[in-house]
Amino acid sequence: SGCFIDFVDPAIGRSLIRVLGRHGVEVVFPKKQTCCGIPVFMSGDLQNGLDLLKMNIEAFAPYKLDAIIVACATCGSALKESYKTLVEGESQEWKDRVGAFSGKVLDIAEFLTQKIKLSPLTLPLSPANGGEGGVRGAGCRYFLCNVKVYLKRAGRLSQTPASFRYLIAPGWNGMPIPS
């Protein structure tokens, strides 16, 4: 999920668990999972970053997982890309373990669109608005996001699913930030 979600806004994590549960996805939280280590790694403390990496790889090892889903682009980038850099000087066993682990990491948007095969057409959006941004009217909420930039900067997606905002928050009107 990510430290921001865990410690600042856990409602995001609870919402994601509900969305995944509605689509029959079993959610597992390894008790020994810890910080991805990117703050430590980026501050130059490679040894402690490597220690956190190994703790996470060990935490997930007992589970037969199809995917490791992240909702934080920073954590996702660490798990998918930075971990490969951290183990460059380690044994081939660790490189292989990190490669297998990192290959399962998917951003929530990737998972919902690629694995669950959700699209805006699968959501209960009002035909009055052509499926653009949810149901209009009383109580409609808005949010601003530039999902493509957010995920591309973190090296997570080359193309962001246009349906991302609808998949996570049906009933909300997305207002992309102008470039």
Side-chain angles (χ1 to χ4, degrees), residues 34-112:
T34 187
C35 172
C36 69
I38 199 68
V40 176
F41 176 64
M42 295 303 284
S43 69
D45 187 349
L46 302 182
Q47 186 57 54
N48 281 322
L50 184 60
D51 291 345
L52 290 169
L53 171 152
K54 289 181 177 182
M55 287 194 299
N56 279 321
I57 299 296
E58 292 294 338
F60 281 87
Y63 302 95
K64 303 282 187 222
L65 302 174
D66 297 319
I68 298 166
I69 304 167
V70 294
C72 172
T74 304
C75 294
S77 177
L79 299 177
K80 195 166 191 159
E81 303 301 329
S82 299
Y83 273 20
K84 294 174 191 172
T85 302
L86 276 169
V87 295
E88 284 178 355
E90 295 297 308
S91 69
Q92 189 60 47
E93 176 191 354
W94 274 108
K95 290 176 185 175
D96 293 344
R97 290 179 76 183
V98 166
F101 177 89
S102 295
K104 292 181 180 183
V105 176
L106 294 172
D107 180 81
I108 185 67
E110 291 175 296
F111 183 80
L112 291 174

Side-chain angles (χ1 to χ4, degrees), residues 2-171:
C3 292
F4 175 82
I5 293 170
D6 290 350
F7 300 112
V8 178
D9 198 348
I12 294 170
R14 289 189 298 272
S15 294
L16 292 174
I17 291 169
R18 281 192 303 274
V19 168
L20 293 169
R22 286 183 188 139
H23 293 284
V25 177
E26 179 185 359
V27 178
V28 175
F29 288 100
K31 289 186 181 197
K32 294 183 180 181
Q33 178 184 357
T34 187
C35 172
C36 69
I38 199 68
V40 176
F41 176 64
M42 295 303 284
S43 69
D45 187 349
L46 302 182
Q47 186 57 54
N48 281 322
L50 184 60
D51 291 345
L52 290 169
L53 171 152
K54 289 181 177 182
M55 287 194 299
N56 279 321
I57 299 296
E58 292 294 338
F60 281 87
Y63 302 95
K64 303 282 187 222
L65 302 174
D66 297 319
I68 298 166
I69 304 167
V70 294
C72 172
T74 304
C75 294
S77 177
L79 299 177
K80 195 166 191 159
E81 303 301 329
S82 299
Y83 273 20
K84 294 174 191 172
T85 302
L86 276 169
V87 295
E88 284 178 355
E90 295 297 308
S91 69
Q92 189 60 47
E93 176 191 354
W94 274 108
K95 290 176 185 175
D96 293 344
R97 290 179 76 183
V98 166
F101 177 89
S102 295
K104 292 181 180 183
V105 176
L106 294 172
D107 180 81
I108 185 67
E110 291 175 296
F111 183 80
L112 291 174
T113 56
Q114 295 172 15
K115 302 296 183 184
I116 303 297
K117 305 292 185 197
L118 289 184
S119 72
L121 299 177
T122 64
L123 297 170
L125 299 178
S126 169
N129 66 13
E132 289 296 321
V135 180
R136 296 188 188 279
C140 188
R141 298 181 286 180
Y142 291 84
F143 67 97
L144 295 173
C145 67
N146 193 334
V147 175
K148 182 177 268 185
V149 170
Y150 176 65
L151 293 174
K152 283 177 100 171
R153 280 188 184 155
R156 302 290 298 123
L157 296 173
S158 58
Q159 293 183 335
T160 304
S163 57
F164 176 84
R165 63 183 178 207
Y166 310 119
L167 297 172
I168 301 304

